[in-house]
Amino acid sequence: MYQFYLFDRPFRFYKKSEKGKISYSSERPPLSVIVYAQNDAENLIQFMPRILNQDYPQFEVIVVNDDSTDDSKDILTTLQTQYDNLYHTYVPEGSRNLSHKKLALTLGVKAAQYDIVVFTNANCCPPDSQWLAAIARNFVPGTDIVLGYTSMQSKEKAPHDFGYYIYDKLLFTLRYLSFALIGRPYMGESSNLAYRKELFFKNKGFSKHLHLHYGDDDLFINEIATRENTRVELSPSSQMTAVYHDNHGAWKELKLQYDFTAKYLHTAAKAVFGMGKVFDYAFNILFILLLAWGILNNWLLAIIALLPAVSIFVIKAVVYRRAAKIFHTPRYTFALPLFSFLQPWVNLYFNIIGSASRKKNFTWR
């Protein structure tokens, strides 16, 4: 029930949308796209044209340059001569005791001239020219927030890159998307996120978490999202790809970031996932002990240990592969048993190292 009721939600929602059973708006309201950039000169050259050439009637793109030391400013100046809907601003040098990203996004929201703001990062690439149209169609009456999906991709295959990062990132995304689809939204990711500007000012922006470097997406959405005002967009055109030079480093940074801010989230999801972790630990430990005891003393016990383990793995594999299919990520047929077994222990490792380095997450350090 835990796997099929919850984590299979995105797949079922996707299929329901494909069959025309989800209502969307035919209107195309003007949009302000806010792109966060920090030393992203190469990404700006590669990905900004994909954003600026969206097939959408009226939109502006505001790039906020966060104290970059590369050629970002010159590249943006050149692009601005080619695109009349591109604007760029910057975070003042020497801003201390502040979250640079929150300050950057605040500047972007204040500069936005349209009611709906769409957020992404300079290293993110939309799949085609329909990204904005896919996001905008969800702003039916009563909807103020749209959550999108972002996958990971390595620009240059690093020696220590392997599929576990993509597997873990997909499961992480399935958690918050699934809860949003059952009417309990609690976070989003700033790489593919949209909301009405008035919500930002009504909630005084990021003021409640100015002491934290992070939280511009998950903690802020946690404050403003409700069952009635939040929708999820999963169509192929809406799926962003975040490109990194090193998937391992990016995944580790994101893992530590969201593990830390999770402490400040107010959601029933924490209790549900906490219970899931306990069962994962208990099951893995009991499986190993029973299997070992059975091999040494009674093969019947080993078979008894294998049957529920195989059953649970099959359920997890079906759910994961269905999600991987709609999000166009590898399905890892042969690696899934290993990944599934490793995940609770990898999470425990990050909880430990995250606790040891928590001070770096505060702006006042």
Side-chain angles (χ1 to χ4, degrees), residues 161-214:
D161 271 357
F162 76 114
Y164 181 81
Y165 313 137
I166 296 174
Y167 165 84
D168 185 74
K169 175 63 169 61
L170 179 55
L171 289 189
F172 167 78
T173 309
L174 285 179
R175 291 177 182 176
Y176 74 79
L177 291 179
S178 297
F179 259 77
L181 289 170
I182 64 171
R184 298 295 185 105
Y186 68 89
M187 70 163 284
E189 292 183 87
S190 61
S191 53
N192 199 2
L193 172 68
Y195 51 77
R196 296 189 187 275
K197 190 168 63 172
E198 63 180 309
L199 281 180
F200 184 84
F201 294 113
K202 184 178 179 180
N203 288 271
K204 298 180 180 179
F206 307 123
S207 60
K208 294 181 182 178
H209 300 101
L210 286 178
H211 61 299
L212 304 177
H213 281 295
Y214 311 118

Side-chain angles (χ1 to χ4, degrees), residues 2-3 7 162-168 171 175 276-277 279-285 287-288 308-321 331-347:
Y2 178 70
Q3 290 290 328
F7 294 125
F162 76 114
Y164 181 81
Y165 313 137
I166 296 174
Y167 165 84
D168 185 74
L171 289 189
R175 291 177 182 176
K277 285 182 180 180
F279 278 109
D280 278 340
Y281 292 133
F283 187 88
N284 284 354
I285 293 170
F287 168 70
I288 292 171
V310 170
S311 299
I312 288 180
F313 166 71
V314 168
I315 293 171
K316 287 183 176 181
V318 169
V319 171
Y320 179 83
R321 287 172 60 83
R331 302 184 195 181
Y332 301 120
T333 302
F334 300 106
L336 274 182
L338 175 62
F339 290 171
S340 179
F341 181 81
L342 283 177
Q343 195 195 28
W345 308 108
V346 172
N347 290 339

